[in-house]
Amino acid sequence: MQLKIISPEKIIFNGEITQVKVPGTAGEFEILDNHAPIISSLEKGVVTYEIVGGEKQTLEIVSGFVEVQKNNVSLCVEL
């Protein structure tokens, strides 16, 4: 699955992952391979993602949006 995280200032991450957890406005949710298409707003919290190979990364955000389509996850976030 491909993850791209961008902020107004720069591209924060662009690469292959196995899963990602995001702080949705209705609660935290996890995105795995073959997730249904979705667009959701994000609130203040922590984005956690696992890079292929097992390394986990975290990123604190203030707000943003997530879009999932055909194993491509795009996060547009405010840090």
Side-chain angles (χ1 to χ4, degrees):
M1 185 165 55
Q2 186 74 24
L3 173 66
K4 186 171 190 176
I5 304 174
I6 59 171
S7 74
E9 296 83 30
K10 64 181 178 179
I11 296 174
I12 297 164
F13 178 82
N14 188 12
E16 288 288 319
I17 60 158
T18 56
Q19 57 102 16
V20 60
K21 285 185 186 176
V22 295
T25 50
E28 182 180 74
F29 63 96
E30 185 173 27
I31 300 164
L32 300 169
D33 265 348
N34 301 314
H35 195 285
I38 186 173
I39 295 175
S40 178
S41 56
L42 303 175
E43 63 182 19
K44 184 176 183 175
V46 177
V47 174
T48 305
Y49 53 98
E50 186 174 311
I51 300 170
V52 172
E55 181 184 347
K56 287 195 175 181
Q57 300 282 322
T58 59
L59 177 68
E60 287 192 39
I61 66 166
V62 175
S63 64
F65 290 91
V66 61
E67 178 185 17
V68 180
Q69 192 170 27
K70 297 180 182 173
N71 283 331
N72 286 305
V73 181
S74 299
L75 294 174
C76 182
V77 298
E78 189 74 38
L79 302 177

